C-alpha cells in the first residue's frame, strides 16, 4: 500500500477516535447532569423525612399522642358517597361500569392516547380509584407471583407518567391474561405529563385481570413526592373542580399498594432494593395502610411509633446497589442505602432467593446487571430526560426464571427525523435547562460568591475560581470545566465572564421553566398535611397551640439540620412573629398563615431582585449578550414539546440477549 495512503488512514483513524471520545464525553457529561440533579432534588425531599425522624426521636411522647390523634380521626373515604361536580371543557363521552372488562380497557386506551378530548368524567375516575383501593386493601404486603400456569411473566419498571411507553409495552407484549401476567414495579406517576392516565389504566388492568396484574409501590406513590414532582399539579389542571376528592382517593390507592412481589418464591421484585437490616418477615407483617405517605410519620392508632418498621419500608423503596462492599447511607438521594455485593449475597442466602429485580434508576439501555447478575435494574420510561436520552425495557422471565429483555424507544419517528448531532443537541439543551433552573435556586448566592472573587468588579474571574464557586454553591459534583463554555458562552480560554452565567439564569426560557416547576417550599406548603404533622409534633402537650418553650425544643433540631443558616435567637424571633394575635401562643391557623405569607414574600423578593439586576448591572459587550441570547434560543427550540396522539406502533423494539448485556 502507498505510504501516503497509510498516513491518511492513520490520520483519519486518529480523528475518528478523538471524535468518538468527544461524543462519549459529551454523553457522559449530560447523563451526569441529569442524574445528579435528580438525586439532589430527591435529597431535598428526603430531608423532610429526616426532620420528622429527628423530631420524633427527641419528642417521642408528643409524636405518640399526635399519631394517636391522627389515627383515631382518620376515616376512609372509600365507603363515602361521592361529592363530585361537573367539570368544564372536553370531557369525553365514555362510560365505565363495574365489573371492568377488556372492552373497558380498549375504550380507555383509545381515549387516553389522544392529545385532546382525553378526560374521563370525574365520576368514572373516582370509580376506578375507589374500587382499586378496596381490592388492593385485601392483598398481602408481598404478592406471590407464579409461572405455574402462565409459564412466563413480564416485569416493567418506572413509567413516570410516560403513557406512550406503557402503550408500547401492551402493544408489543399483549394485554394481561392468565397466560400473560405482569408485575409493574412502582413509580407510575410524576415528571411525565400523563401520570393520571398511566395510573388509571394500570388500576383498570388490575381490576379487569386481578390474577394477572401485580402492582408494587414505588417511592413516588407518595403525595409528598407528588407535590414536588408534578403529579398533584397534573390532577389539579385536569380536574380543577374535583381534584381534592380525587387526590384523596389516590392517597387511598397508595396506602394499600403492595410493597413488593416474590416470583416462584425465588425472585424478589421491589422498587428500590434492601439494606443489611431488611427482613422480609418483618415487612410481611407491617400494617402498610398506616403509611399514607412514606415521608411523613405513619398513623399509629395510639401505638408507639416503630421507627425500625418505618426504616424497613424506606430501605426497600429508596435504596440503590453499589459496586463496592458494604451498606452505607445513600448520600446522593438522602434516603435509603447503597448496598454492595456482599449485602446482596447475605440477603439472598437469608431469604433463599436466587436474585432481585428492582427499578428506581434510569439506565441508558433500560436495564443493567450488577452483583454478579444477582441484582437486575429495569427501567421502562424511554426518552426519560429528553428525546433520545435513553431506551426503556421490560423483562420476560420463563418458567426457569431466565430473564429476556425487550428494549424499546417510543415515538421512534421523531427520533428518526433527527441527525445524531440534532439528537445530542436536544439532550444537551434539556440538561442545561434543568441545570440552570436548579442554579436559579442559588442565584443570589452565586452572584455574591462571584463578586468576592472579583474585587475590581470587572465581571470576569479565573476559570478555577468560577468552578470553585459553582461547586461550593450548588454542591452538585459536576465537571464544571467542561460546562464552562455552555454556562458562560462567549468567554475566552483564560477568564470567565460570570455575568453571562447570571444572564443565562435570567433569560425567559429559564424563568418560565422555573415557574413551571415546584420548589421545596411550594411543595411543603401545597402539602398541608406535612405542615400539620410538623405542628402536631412540636405541640408536645397536645393543647392545639405551640408555646415558645415548645418552639425552642424544635429549633434545637433545626439548628442541627441547618448549621449556620440562622442563629437560635433569630429563629425564636421568627417564631414570635408567627403569633399574629399576640396571645403568646401559635395555633394551627397562625402556623399555616405564617408559611403562606413567608412564601408570598419570597416570591415577591425574587421578582424584585430580577428588576434590580436588570437596571443595576454593568452592560455587557454585545458579543457576550448575543452569545447568551443564542444559547437561550437554542435551549428554547430544542426543548419545545409538541404533543401528538400516541401511536404505540411508532416504536423501535428488539430482544436483548442477556448473555451479551
Amino acid at each position: 500500500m502507498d505510504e501516503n495512503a497509510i498516513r491518511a488512514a492513520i490520520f483519519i483513524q486518529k480523528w475518528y477516535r478523538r471524535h468518538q471520545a468527544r461524543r462519549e464525553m459529551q454523553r457522559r457529561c449530560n447523563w451526569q447532569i441529569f442524574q445528579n440533579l435528580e438525586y439532589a432534588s430527591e435529597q431535598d425531599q428526603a430531608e423532610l423525612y429526616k426532620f420528622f425522624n429527628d423530631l420524633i426521636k427527641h419528642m417521642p411522647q408528643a409524636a405518640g399522642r399526635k399519631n394517636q390523634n391522627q389515627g383515631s380521626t382518620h376515616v376512609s373515604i372509600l365507603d363515602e358517597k361521592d361529592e363530585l361536580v361537573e367539570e368544564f371543557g372536553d370531557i369525553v363521552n365514555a362510560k365505565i361500569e363495574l365489573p371492568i372488562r377488556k372492552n373497558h380497557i380498549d375504550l380507555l386506551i383509545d381515549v387516553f392516547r389522544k392529545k385532546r378530548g382525553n378526560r374521563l368524567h370525574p365520576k368514572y375516575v373516582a370509580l376506578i380509584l375507589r374500587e382499586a383501593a378496596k381490592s388492593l386493601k385485601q392483598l398481602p404486603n408481598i404478592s406471590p407471583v407464579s409461572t405455574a400456569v402462565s409459564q412466563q411473566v413480564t416485569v416493567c419498571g418506572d413509567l413516570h407518567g410516560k403513557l406512550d411507553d406503557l402503550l408500547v409495552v401492551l402493544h408489543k407484549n399483549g394485554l394481561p391474561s392468565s397466560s400473560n401476567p405482569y408485575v409493574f414495579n412502582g413509580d407510575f406517576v410524576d415528571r411525565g405529563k400523563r401520570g393520571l392516565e398511566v395510573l388509571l389504566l394500570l388500576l383498570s388492568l388490575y381490576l379487569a385481570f386481578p390474577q394477572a396484574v401485580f402492582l408494587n409501590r414505588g417511592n413516588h406513590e407518595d403525595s409528598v413526592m407528588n407535590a414536588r414532582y408534578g403529579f398533584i399539579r397534573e390532577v389539579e389542571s385536569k380536574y380543577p373542580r374535583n381534584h381534592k376528592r380525587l387526590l384523596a382517593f389516590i392517597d387511598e390507592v397508595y396506602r394499600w399498594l403492595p410493597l413488593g412481589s416474590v416470583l416462584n418464591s425465588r425472585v424478589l421484585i421491589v422498587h428500590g432494593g434492601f439494606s443489611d437490616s431488611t427482613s422480609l418477615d418483618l415487612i410481611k407483617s407491617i400494617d402498610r395502610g398506616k403509611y399514607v405517605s412514606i415521608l411523613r410519620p405513619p398513623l399509629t392508632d395510639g401505638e408507639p411509633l416503630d421507627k425500625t418498621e418505618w426504616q424497613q419500608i424506606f430501605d426497600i423503596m429508596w435504596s440503590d446497589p453499589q459496586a463496592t462492599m458494604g451498606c452505607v447511607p445513600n448520600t446522593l438521594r438522602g434516603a435509603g442505602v447503597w448496598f454492595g455485593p456482599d449485602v446482596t449475597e447475605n440477603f439472598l442466602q437469608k431469604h433463599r432467593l436466587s436474585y432481585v429485580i428492582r427499578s428506581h434508576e434510569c439506565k441508558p439501555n433500560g436495564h443493567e446487571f450488577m452483583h454478579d447478575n444477582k441484582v437486575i435494574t429495569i427501567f421502562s420510561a424511554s426518552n426519560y430526560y429528553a428525546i433520545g436520552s435513553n431506551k426503556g425495557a421490560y423483562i420476560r422471565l420463563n418458567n426457569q426464571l431466565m430473564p429476556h429483555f425487550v428494549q424499546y424507544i417510543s415515538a421512534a419517528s421523531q427520533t428518526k427525523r433527527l441527525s445524531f448531532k440534532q439528537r445530542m443537541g436536544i439532550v444537551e439543551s434539556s440538561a442545561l435547562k434543568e441545570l440552570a433552573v436548579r442554579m436559579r435556586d442559588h442565584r443570589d448566592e452565586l452572584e455574591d460568591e462571584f463578586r468576592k472573587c472579583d474585587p475590581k468588579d470587572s465581571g470576569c474571574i479565573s476559570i478555577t475560581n468560577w468552578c470553585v464557586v459553582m461547586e461550593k454553591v450548588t454542591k452538585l459534583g459536576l465537571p464544571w470545566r467542561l460546562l464552562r463554555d455552555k454556562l458562560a458562552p462567549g468567554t475566552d480560554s483564560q477568564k470567565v465572564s460570570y455575568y453571562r452565567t447570571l444572564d443565562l439564569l435570567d433569560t425567559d426560557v429559564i424563568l418560565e421553566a422555573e415557574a413551571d416547576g415546584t420548589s421545596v417550599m411550594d411543595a411543603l406548603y401545597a402539602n398541608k398535611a406535612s405542615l400539620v404533622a410538623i405542628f402536631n409534633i412540636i405541640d408536645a402537650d397536645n393543647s392545639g397551640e405551640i408555646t415558645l418553650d415548645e418552639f425552642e425544643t424544635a429549633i434545637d433540631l433545626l439548628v442541627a439540620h441547618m448549621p449556620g443558616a440562622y442563629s437560635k435567637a433569630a429563629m425564636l424571633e421568627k417564631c414570635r412573629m408567627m403569633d399574629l394575635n399576640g396571645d403568646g401562643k401559635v395555633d394551627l391557623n397562625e402556623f399555616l398563615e405564617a408559611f403562606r405569607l413567608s412564601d408570598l414574600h419570597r416570591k415577591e423578593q425574587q421578582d424584585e431582585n430580577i428588576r434590580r439586576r436588570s437596571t443595576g448591572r454593568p452592560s455587557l459587550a454585545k458579543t457576550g449578550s448575543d452569545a447568551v441570547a443564542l444559547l437561550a434560543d437554542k435551549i428554547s427550540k430544542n426543548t419545545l414539546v409538541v404533543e401528538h396522539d400516541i401511536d404505540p406502533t411508532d416504536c423501535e423494539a428488539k430482544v436483548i440477549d442477556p448473555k451479551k448485556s
Side-chain angles (χ1 to χ4, degrees):
M1 183 180 288
D2 181 76
E3 184 178 345
N4 289 333
I6 294 175
R7 288 179 177 176
I10 293 173
F11 177 80
I12 292 171
Q13 187 180 58
K14 287 181 178 179
W15 173 87
Y16 181 74
R17 286 175 175 171
R18 284 197 298 267
H19 175 70
Q20 290 294 92
R22 283 195 298 270
R23 275 175 33 174
E24 178 61 16
M25 184 171 63
Q26 185 181 8
R27 185 194 70 80
R28 292 188 181 189
C29 183
N30 292 333
W31 192 261
Q32 188 176 357
I33 292 173
F34 283 129
Q35 286 216 316
N36 287 19
L37 286 174
E38 182 175 359
Y39 293 159
S41 185
E42 289 189 340
Q43 192 176 65
D44 293 340
Q45 291 303 107
E47 279 301 316
L48 179 61
Y49 158 76
K50 291 179 180 177
F51 179 55
F52 276 131
N53 208 12
D54 275 2
L55 279 176
I56 292 167
K57 178 180 178 181
H58 291 85
M59 302 178 175
Q61 293 178 335
R65 282 196 293 273
K66 288 309 169 179
N67 280 313
Q68 179 178 5
N69 181 56
Q70 290 174 7
S72 61
T73 58
H74 183 87
V75 178
S76 174
I77 67 168
L78 298 181
D79 298 317
E80 295 179 6
K81 184 179 179 180
D82 282 342
E83 298 174 357
L84 302 169
V85 296
E86 292 293 325
E87 292 282 354
F88 300 120
D90 53 348
I91 298 295
V92 70
N93 184 24
K95 184 177 181 181
I96 305 295
E97 57 187 4
L98 299 176
I100 291 180
R101 302 188 187 280
K102 182 181 179 299
N103 61 301
H104 297 116
I105 301 298
D106 294 335
L107 175 63
L108 288 174
I109 290 175
D110 187 56
V111 169
F112 288 162
R113 73 178 192 83
K114 296 175 181 176
K115 68 175 181 178
R116 292 189 177 88
N118 56 15
R119 286 192 304 160
L120 285 182
H121 192 284
K123 68 181 179 182
Y124 298 130
V125 176
L127 174 72
I128 294 170
L129 294 171
R130 184 198 299 106
E131 291 304 312
K134 285 182 178 179
S135 180
L136 290 167
K137 187 176 180 179
Q138 310 305 316
L139 300 180
N141 290 346
I142 304 292
S143 300
V145 184
S146 173
T147 60
V149 174
S150 63
Q151 302 299 303
Q152 59 90 32
V153 68
T154 300
V155 181
C156 295
D158 299 37
L159 288 164
H160 278 301
K162 298 284 271 91
L163 180 64
D164 50 353
D165 290 307
L166 175 56
L167 296 185
V168 165
V169 173
L170 297 176
H171 167 70
K172 301 298 292 186
N173 201 59
L175 287 177
S177 67
S178 58
S179 60
N180 190 29
Y182 281 84
V183 178
F184 293 96
N185 200 24
D187 278 14
F188 313 133
V189 301
D190 277 338
R191 296 196 172 98
K193 294 184 177 181
R194 307 296 292 277
L196 184 57
E197 290 81 0
V198 169
L199 181 63
L200 291 174
L201 184 52
L202 288 175
L203 294 176
S204 298
L205 287 168
Y206 163 71
L207 291 171
F209 312 104
Q211 304 303 315
V213 175
F214 302 89
L215 305 176
N216 293 342
R217 187 174 185 176
N219 66 308
H220 279 265
E221 278 66 66
D222 190 309
S223 59
V224 176
M225 297 293 285
N226 297 162
R228 178 74 190 277
Y229 294 101
F231 184 54
I232 285 180
R233 291 180 66 177
E234 177 190 339
V235 177
E236 289 174 346
S237 67
K238 291 175 179 176
Y239 293 95
R241 304 188 70 198
N242 293 283
H243 68 271
K244 290 183 179 179
R245 186 72 172 172
L246 297 180
L247 287 169
F249 280 128
I250 289 170
D251 272 347
E252 289 298 303
V253 169
Y254 288 169
R255 68 194 295 231
W256 294 117
L257 280 169
L259 305 176
S261 305
V262 173
L263 175 60
N264 291 359
S265 301
R266 300 298 297 171
V267 178
L268 176 66
I269 307 170
V270 291
H271 181 71
F274 45 85
S275 70
D276 53 4
S277 62
T278 298
S279 167
L280 291 186
D281 290 335
L282 177 53
I283 289 171
K284 289 175 182 178
S285 68
I286 289 173
D287 174 14
R288 72 179 186 276
K290 64 188 179 186
Y291 292 91
V292 181
S293 166
I294 299 167
L295 288 165
R296 285 200 305 268
L299 308 175
T300 59
D301 288 322
E303 298 295 323
L305 177 60
D306 187 341
K307 290 194 294 178
T308 301
E309 174 187 288
W310 192 9
Q311 187 65 46
Q312 291 277 319
I313 294 182
F314 232 93
D315 287 345
I316 64 172
M317 296 289 176
W318 283 81
S319 297
D320 296 307
Q322 64 176 3
T324 55
M325 297 292 186
C327 184
V328 296
N330 192 325
T331 53
L332 268 183
R333 293 190 190 271
V337 302
W338 279 309
F339 57 95
D342 56 329
V343 178
T344 295
E345 190 63 38
N346 292 337
F347 179 82
L348 295 178
Q349 290 183 9
K350 175 182 175 182
H351 295 96
R352 299 180 181 179
L353 297 168
S354 299
Y355 58 91
V356 173
I357 297 175
R358 43 90 63 179
S359 303
H360 197 41
E361 290 182 282
C362 181
K363 298 298 178 183
N365 294 313
H367 70 282
E368 182 181 75
F369 282 105
M370 285 193 73
H371 299 178
D372 196 23
N373 297 345
K374 292 177 181 177
V375 173
I376 300 174
T377 298
I378 191 72
F379 194 87
S380 298
S382 68
N383 303 312
Y384 178 57
Y385 296 123
I387 292 177
S389 64
N390 67 285
K391 297 178 174 65
Y394 57 88
I395 313 175
R396 290 176 62 104
L397 297 105
N398 60 21
N399 206 27
Q400 287 74 45
L401 302 180
M402 176 66 68
H404 297 273
F405 298 92
V406 178
Q407 186 186 78
Y408 58 86
I409 189 163
S410 59
S413 61
Q414 296 182 42
T415 310
K416 284 180 179 178
R417 290 194 295 265
L418 303 172
S419 66
F420 178 83
K421 185 176 180 180
Q422 288 173 319
R423 289 199 300 273
M424 287 295 293
I426 290 173
V427 173
E428 180 180 81
S429 294
S430 298
L432 291 176
K433 183 177 179 179
E434 287 198 28
L435 177 56
V437 170
R438 176 78 180 187
M439 288 166 57
R440 273 202 61 79
D441 292 341
H442 309 282
R443 166 69 174 72
D444 292 340
E445 190 179 351
L446 280 170
E447 184 165 6
D448 290 342
E449 291 296 325
F450 285 144
R451 288 185 179 279
K452 289 178 184 177
C453 300
D454 183 25
K456 295 182 179 180
D457 200 22
S458 65
C460 294
I461 57 177
S462 69
I463 295 175
T464 298
N465 284 341
W466 183 85
C467 293
V468 168
V469 169
M470 293 295 286
E471 182 57 31
K472 177 183 177 181
V473 173
T474 67
K475 299 178 175 63
L476 289 173
L478 294 174
W480 296 111
R481 284 185 178 273
L482 294 178
L483 292 169
R484 189 257 307 179
D485 289 341
K486 306 299 180 183
L487 296 175
T491 54
D492 61 40
S493 59
Q494 301 300 319
K495 295 282 187 178
V496 178
S497 173
Y498 60 84
Y499 281 146
R500 294 177 191 173
T501 301
L502 300 173
D503 279 340
L504 175 63
L505 303 187
D506 294 339
T507 55
D508 288 343
V509 64
I510 304 305
L511 291 174
E512 289 168 6
E514 182 188 38
D516 288 339
T518 308
S519 70
V520 177
M521 180 61 76
D522 292 330
L524 184 60
Y525 183 68
N527 202 305
K528 178 182 172 183
S530 294
L531 290 175
V532 172
I534 291 173
F535 178 91
N536 285 338
I537 295 173
I538 296 175
D539 177 20
D541 62 1
N542 200 20
S543 65
E545 296 174 318
I546 302 177
T547 65
L548 278 179
D549 288 341
E550 289 170 334
F551 263 129
E552 190 169 358
T553 304
I555 285 171
D556 289 336
L557 296 176
L558 279 173
V559 170
H561 269 269
M562 300 185 297
Y566 295 100
S567 68
K568 184 174 179 178
M571 283 195 277
L572 269 175
E573 182 58 32
K574 292 180 187 297
C575 293
R576 290 189 184 96
M577 292 169 64
M578 288 186 184
D579 179 16
L580 301 179
N581 62 6
D583 65 355
K585 299 176 182 178
V586 175
D587 63 22
L588 179 59
N589 288 332
E590 289 174 318
F591 189 73
L592 296 176
E593 180 66 5
F595 271 89
R596 187 188 72 81
L597 293 174
S598 175
D599 195 41
L600 184 64
H601 174 73
R602 178 179 61 86
K603 291 176 180 177
E604 289 174 348
Q605 190 64 46
Q606 286 177 342
D607 293 339
E608 175 59 31
N609 287 342
I610 291 173
R611 287 192 293 270
R612 175 177 55 80
R613 292 176 201 126
S614 64
T615 57
R617 180 183 303 160
S619 59
L620 287 172
K622 186 176 187 302
T623 54
S625 59
D626 283 350
V628 172
L630 286 171
L631 176 58
D633 185 59
K634 178 183 176 182
I635 291 174
S636 179
K637 289 179 179 177
N638 281 344
T639 57
L640 179 65
V641 177
V642 179
E643 286 197 62
H644 303 278
D645 288 356
I646 296 173
D647 178 8
T649 65
D650 181 18
C651 65
E652 290 183 352
K654 62 180 179 180
V655 178
I656 304 296
D657 185 350
K659 295 179 182 178
K660 297 180 181 179
S661 295

